[in-house]
C-alpha cells in the first residue's frame, strides 16, 4: 500500500522551539536518530554542510546548530534548555564542531554527521531536511538507508563473516521488514517494524555469533507508520465526489484521511488535534503578553494592534484580530517559545492566527474548530504529495502559500461551506501566492516573513468569503499544486532561503546582518538598538 503523508507527521506539527522547522526541528530529529545509531555516550561530533547547499550560509542564524546540539544532548525539542543547547554541550564536555565542506549531495538541505562515542565508536551519517520538520537519513557508514523516524528500527554491521542473511531471516518475525547489504567485506543488517521489537527477538540478535553490537532506533515522529488502512479516495477530485456521495464536509474527509493513514481511532485523533490547538492558542497568548529574545530583529509588536483599537485609531474587526494573532505567533517563534509548525515554523502564524480570529468572530465551538484543522490538514497533505514544504527547494510559495490555502479551506469549514467550496477556497488562495520567494533578512525568519504570514492569512480570509459566496476558482487545486512545482523550477536558487536574493541583499538588510553579527561576537545583543541609517531616495 502506498505510503501517504500524514496530517500529524507531515502537515500539522512538529511541536517545537526554534526559528525554522526545516533547520531546527528536522536537524533535531536527525541528531536524535543519529544518537540511537551511535549507541554510545557521545564524546564529540563533526557536523558538515556542503558549501554549495542552502544551509551553508545560514545554518547558525536559522537554528540548525540549536537543533543538532539539542538532539545530540538528548533534549526534548520543547525543553527550555534548547535555547542554550550550545552552552549545555560545553558544560557536558561534548565537543560539537561545525564545518563547511564539499561532499556529494542531491538535496539543498544536506548534512553529514560524524559521531564518536566515549568508547571510541564512530559512525558517519548523511541526512537531508525535506521541509516542515520532515527528514530522511540516507546513508549510514556509506550504506544507503531510508530512515525518517516513523518506524522502530534495528541496525548492525558485521565484518569478515560468512553470509548469514538466511539464518537471520528465518528468525525474523513476519511483521518485521528485514534488509541486508554487503560491501567490501562488511554486511549491513537492518530491521524495521511498526511495533516495538520483542525482548526475545532482540536477545536472539544479541546472542547470534555473527551479529555485532545492535543499535535500536526508536520512532521520533508523532505517528508510527505501517498501520494504515485502505483509503476510500485517492485524488482531490475523488475526495470531493466521496464527500458529496456521503454527505461529508472537508473536516470529515480530513478525519477519514488521517484515520486511514495512521490507524488511530477518531476519538484518538480528535484528542490529538485538541492538544495541538491548545498549544497554538497558548503560543498566541504568550506572544500577545509579550516576549523577549535578544537575537532577533523585531521585538514585540503584536500588542500595537490592540492599542490602536483602544485609542480609537482603528476599529476592532476580524482582520485586526488576524493581524494581532499572526504577529503574536511569529513573535513566540522568534523568541524560541513553543509553537506548532503549520505546515512550517516560518509560516506558523498563518493558520493558527487566522483560525482563532475567525472562530471567535463567528462563535465556533471547539469541535467545529477541530474539524476546521482537519480540513486544513487535508489540503496540506495533498500539498505534501506535490512539492512539499521546503523553501530551500521551492521558495516561500510552499510555506506561506501552502499555509494560506490550508487556512482558506479551514475557514470555509468554519463558515459551514461544502467540501467543494473549501477546496475551491484553497485553490484561490494558493493561486495568489504562486511565485512567492523566500528572502529572509539577516538570515532570521522574521522579515519579510511576518508580513508574508499576515498577507497569507488575510488572503485566506478573502478567498474563503469568495468561495462561500459562490466564486469560481477556475483552476482545480490539483493543477494549482502542480503549477507551484513547475514555477519553482524556474525560480533562481538565490530566492530560495539562501540569503542571496530578494530583500536579503538590500543595503539595509546587509547593514543589519553585519550589525547583528558584530553584536553577537561582542555579546552586546541584549537591548541593542538595531535601527540602521539608510539613504533615502
Amino acid at each position: 500500500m502506498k505510503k501517504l503523508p500524514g496530517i500529524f507527521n507531515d502537515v500539522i506539527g512538529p511541536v517545537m522551539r526554534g526559528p525554522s522547522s526545516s533547520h531546527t526541528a528536522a536537524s533535531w530529529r536527525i541528531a536524535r536518530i543519529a544518537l540511537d545509531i551511535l549507541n554510545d555516550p557521545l564524546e564529540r561530533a563533526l557536523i558538515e554542510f556542503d558549501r554549495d547547499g542552502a544551509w551553508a550560509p545560514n545554518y547558525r542564524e536559522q537554528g540548525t546548530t540549536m537543533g543538532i546540539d539539542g538532539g545530540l544532548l538528548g533534549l526534548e525539542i520543547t525543553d527550555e534548555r534548547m535555547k542554550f543547547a550550545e552552552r549545555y554541550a560545553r558544560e557536558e564536555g561534548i565537543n560539537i564542531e561545525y564545518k563547511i565542506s564539499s561532499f556529494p549531495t542531491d538535496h539543498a538541505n544536506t548534512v553529514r554527521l560524524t559521531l564518536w562515542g566515549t568508547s571510541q565508536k564512530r559512525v558517519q551519517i548523511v541526512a537531508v531536511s525535506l521541509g516542515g520538520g520532515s527528514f530522511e537519513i540516507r546513508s549510514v557508514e556509506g550504506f544507503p538507508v531510508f530512515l525518517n523516524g516513523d518506524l522502530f528500527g534495528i541496525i548492525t554491521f558485521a565484518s569478515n563473516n560468512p553470509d548469514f542473511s538466511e539464518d537471520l531471516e528465518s528468525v525474523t518475525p513476519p511483521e518485521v521488514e528485514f534488509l541486508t547489504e554487503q560491501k567490501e567485506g562488511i554486511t549491513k543488517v537492518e530491521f524495521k517494524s511498526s511495533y516495538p521489537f520483542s525482548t526475545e527477538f532482540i536477545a536472539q540478535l544479541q546472542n547470534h555469533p555473527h551479529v555485532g553490537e545492535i543499535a535500536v532506533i526508536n520512532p521520533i515522529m508523532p505517528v508510527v507508520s505501517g498501520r494504515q488502512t485502505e483509503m476510500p479516495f485517492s485524488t482531490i477530485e475523488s475526495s470531493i465526489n466521496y464527500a458529496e456521495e456521503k454527505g461529508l464536509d472537508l473536516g470529515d474527509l480530513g478525519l477519514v484521511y488521517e484515520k486511514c493513514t495512521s490507524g488511530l481511532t477518531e476519538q484518538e485523533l480528535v484528542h490529538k488535534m485538541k492538544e495541538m490547538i491548545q498549544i497554538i492558542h497558548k503560543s498566541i497568548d504568550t506572544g500577545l503578553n509579550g516576549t523577549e529574545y535578544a537575537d532577533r530583529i523585531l521585538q514585540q509588536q503584536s500588542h500595537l494592534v490592540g492599542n490602536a483599537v483602544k485609542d480609537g485609531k482603528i476599529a476592532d474587526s476580524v482582520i485586526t484580530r488576524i493581524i494581532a494573532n499572526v504577529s503574536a505567533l511569529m513573535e513566540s517563534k522568534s523568541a524560541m517559545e513553543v509553537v506548532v509548525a503549520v505546515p512550517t515554523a516560518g509560516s506558523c502564524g498563518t493558520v493558527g492566527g487566522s483560525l482563532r480570529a475567525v472562530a471567535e468572530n463567528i462563535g465556533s465551538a471547539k469541535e467545529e474548530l477541530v474539524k476546521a484543522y482537519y480540513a486544513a490538514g487535508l489540503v496540506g497533505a495533498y500539498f505534501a504529495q506535490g512539492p512539499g514544504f521546503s523553501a530551500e527547494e521551492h521558495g516561500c510559495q510552499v510555506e506561506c502559500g501552502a499555509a494560506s490555502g490550508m487556512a482558506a479551506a479551514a475557514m470555509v469549514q468554519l463558515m459551514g461551506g461544502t467540501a467543494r467550496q473549501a477546496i475551491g477556497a484553497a485553490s484561490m488562495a494558493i493561486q495568489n501566492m504562486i511565485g512567492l520567494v523566500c528572502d529572509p533578512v539577516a538570515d532570521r525568519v522574521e522579515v519579510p516573513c511576518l508580513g508574508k504570514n499576515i498577507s497569507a492569512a488575510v488572503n485566506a480570509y478573502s478567498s474563503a468569503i469568495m468561495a462561500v459566496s459562490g466564486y469560481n476558482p477556475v483552476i482545480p487545486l490539483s493543477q494549482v499544486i502542480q503549477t507551484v512545482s513547475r514555477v519553482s523550477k524556474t525560480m533562481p536558487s538565490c530566492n530560495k532561503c539562501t540569503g542571496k536574493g530578494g530583500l536579503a541583499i538590500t543595503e539595509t538588510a546587509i547593514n543589519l546582518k553585519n550589525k547583528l553579527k558584530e553584536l553577537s561576537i561582542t555579546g552586546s545583543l541584549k537591548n541593542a538598538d538595531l535601527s540602521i541609517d539608510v539613504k533615502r531616495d
Side-chain angles (χ1 to χ4, degrees):
M1 191 181 299
K2 180 184 176 183
K3 180 184 172 184
L4 296 170
I7 289 176
F8 289 111
N9 277 2
D10 301 290
V11 182
I12 297 180
V15 179
M16 58 172 287
R17 291 184 192 270
S20 165
S21 45
S22 60
H23 283 71
T24 317
S27 64
W28 176 83
R29 286 169 164 174
I30 289 166
R32 285 293 295 267
I33 296 290
L35 208 57
D36 281 351
I37 295 172
L38 177 65
N39 194 30
D40 196 36
L42 182 67
E43 182 174 85
R44 65 188 178 101
L46 173 63
I47 314 300
E48 299 172 274
F49 305 103
D50 179 58
R51 67 181 70 259
D52 297 321
W55 274 359
N58 55 27
Y59 65 88
R60 190 169 296 279
E61 292 84 353
Q62 293 211 24
T64 313
T65 56
M66 172 183 167
I68 290 176
D69 289 349
L72 291 178
L73 287 169
L75 299 176
E76 292 300 319
I77 197 168
T78 54
D79 194 312
E80 182 80 15
R81 292 174 293 175
M82 281 291 296
K83 299 179 184 180
F84 317 105
E86 186 176 2
R87 189 185 80 198
Y88 279 102
R90 288 197 303 269
E91 291 174 355
E92 294 291 322
I94 298 172
N95 177 28
I96 304 175
E97 178 189 353
Y98 290 87
K99 183 179 179 182
I100 304 300
S101 301
S102 183
F103 53 93
T105 66
D106 59 4
H107 194 282
N109 297 336
T110 303
V111 59
R112 185 166 68 184
L113 305 89
T114 308
L115 310 182
W116 290 267
T118 54
S119 62
Q120 296 308 300
K121 284 182 62 178
R122 174 194 175 278
V123 66
Q124 187 170 85
I125 293 163
V126 177
V128 300
S129 166
L130 302 173
S134 297
F135 71 98
E136 289 175 7
I137 292 178
R138 292 186 169 177
S139 80
V140 176
E141 288 295 288
F143 284 90
V145 298
F146 178 78
L147 302 172
N148 57 3
D150 64 348
L151 291 169
F152 294 88
I154 291 176
I155 191 166
T156 185
F157 295 91
S159 58
N160 301 319
N161 283 317
D163 184 3
F164 53 93
S165 57
E166 287 188 11
D167 186 23
L168 285 182
E169 194 166 10
S170 68
V171 300
T172 301
E175 70 275 7
V176 174
E177 184 181 4
F178 172 73
L179 304 155
T180 184
E181 184 175 352
Q182 196 167 36
K183 184 170 63 176
E184 298 175 359
I186 298 175
T187 302
K188 178 209 75 173
V189 180
E190 193 178 351
F191 303 90
K192 295 181 180 181
S193 174
S194 299
Y195 299 91
F197 298 102
S198 68
T199 53
E200 293 80 11
F201 179 62
I202 291 175
Q204 278 183 306
L205 295 178
Q206 290 172 329
N207 295 327
H208 194 283
H210 298 312
V211 173
E213 187 175 346
I214 68 170
V216 178
I217 303 165
N218 292 304
I220 202 73
M221 302 302 282
V223 177
V224 176
S225 294
R227 305 176 187 180
Q228 64 266 31
T229 56
E230 193 69 36
M231 188 77 65
F233 45 84
S234 58
T235 64
I236 296 175
E237 187 57 35
S238 67
S239 69
I240 296 173
N241 292 336
Y242 181 80
E244 291 174 345
E245 290 170 9
K246 302 292 184 180
L248 305 177
D249 53 37
L250 197 65
D252 295 323
L253 287 183
L255 267 167
V256 169
Y257 179 94
E258 190 67 0
K259 279 176 67 177
C260 292
T261 56
S262 69
L264 298 175
T265 66
E266 183 170 329
Q267 185 179 10
E268 289 172 316
L269 292 174
V270 168
H271 177 71
K272 203 169 187 66
M273 191 63 82
K274 283 182 177 178
E275 288 183 330
M276 289 292 187
I277 295 169
Q278 187 175 14
I279 296 168
I280 292 168
H281 287 187
K282 184 178 179 181
S283 302
I284 294 172
D285 293 337
T286 298
L288 291 174
N289 289 333
T291 57
E292 292 184 6
Y293 194 75
D295 189 7
R296 64 178 180 178
I297 300 168
L298 299 171
Q299 297 302 323
Q300 189 191 13
Q301 299 181 119
S302 54
H303 66 298
L304 298 177
V305 176
N307 290 348
V309 171
K310 289 177 185 176
D311 294 341
K313 295 178 181 177
I314 57 175
D316 183 29
S317 69
V318 66
I319 296 294
T320 60
R321 294 180 194 177
I322 286 174
I323 294 170
N325 289 347
V326 173
S327 301
L329 275 169
M330 296 298 287
E331 287 167 6
S332 286
K333 174 196 65 66
S334 296
M336 308 304 152
E337 299 297 335
V338 175
V339 297
V340 180
V342 187
T344 70
S347 60
C348 72
T350 300
V351 175
S354 63
L355 290 194
R356 180 168 175 177
V358 171
E360 289 176 348
N361 185 59
I362 62 179
S364 301
K366 288 183 180 179
E367 291 71 21
E368 292 171 319
L369 191 55
V370 166
K371 286 184 66 176
Y373 269 90
Y374 273 108
L378 183 59
V379 171
Y382 285 129
F383 205 98
Q385 292 178 45
F389 305 116
S390 173
E392 291 84 357
E393 291 183 272
H394 306 288
C396 198
Q397 59 178 348
V398 300
E399 293 205 33
C400 289
S404 190
M406 291 166 60
M411 289 179 196
V412 170
Q413 176 71 34
L414 287 175
M415 295 173 185
T418 66
R420 188 173 294 278
Q421 288 173 332
I423 290 295
S427 173
M428 287 188 280
I430 297 170
Q431 287 176 40
N432 299 334
M433 309 293 282
I434 291 175
L436 191 65
V437 302
C438 183
D439 53 348
V441 167
D443 295 321
R444 271 75 176 173
V445 189
E446 298 180 70
V447 182
C449 316
L450 171 61
K452 287 177 178 175
N453 271 261
I454 292 171
S455 296
V458 174
N459 173 51
Y461 184 55
S462 62
S463 298
I465 291 174
M466 291 161 66
V468 171
S469 301
Y471 279 55
N472 184 355
V474 182
I475 309 297
L477 178 59
S478 58
Q479 294 178 31
V480 172
I481 291 173
Q482 291 167 7
T483 302
V484 170
S485 296
R486 189 169 64 250
V487 168
S488 76
K489 293 176 183 176
T490 66
M491 189 182 292
S493 61
C494 64
N495 291 329
K496 296 178 180 179
C497 200
T498 59
K500 297 178 181 179
L503 294 175
I505 58 172
T506 58
E507 180 184 357
T508 298
I510 293 168
N511 290 339
L512 185 55
K513 183 174 181 175
N514 291 335
K515 190 167 186 176
L516 281 163
K517 186 177 292 186
E518 179 185 336
L519 290 169
S520 179
I521 292 170
T522 60
S524 307
L525 272 166
K526 191 173 177 67
N527 300 321
D529 179 11
L530 295 180
S531 59
I532 298 292
D533 293 326
V534 295
K535 297 175 183 176
R536 305 294 180 189
D537 292 335

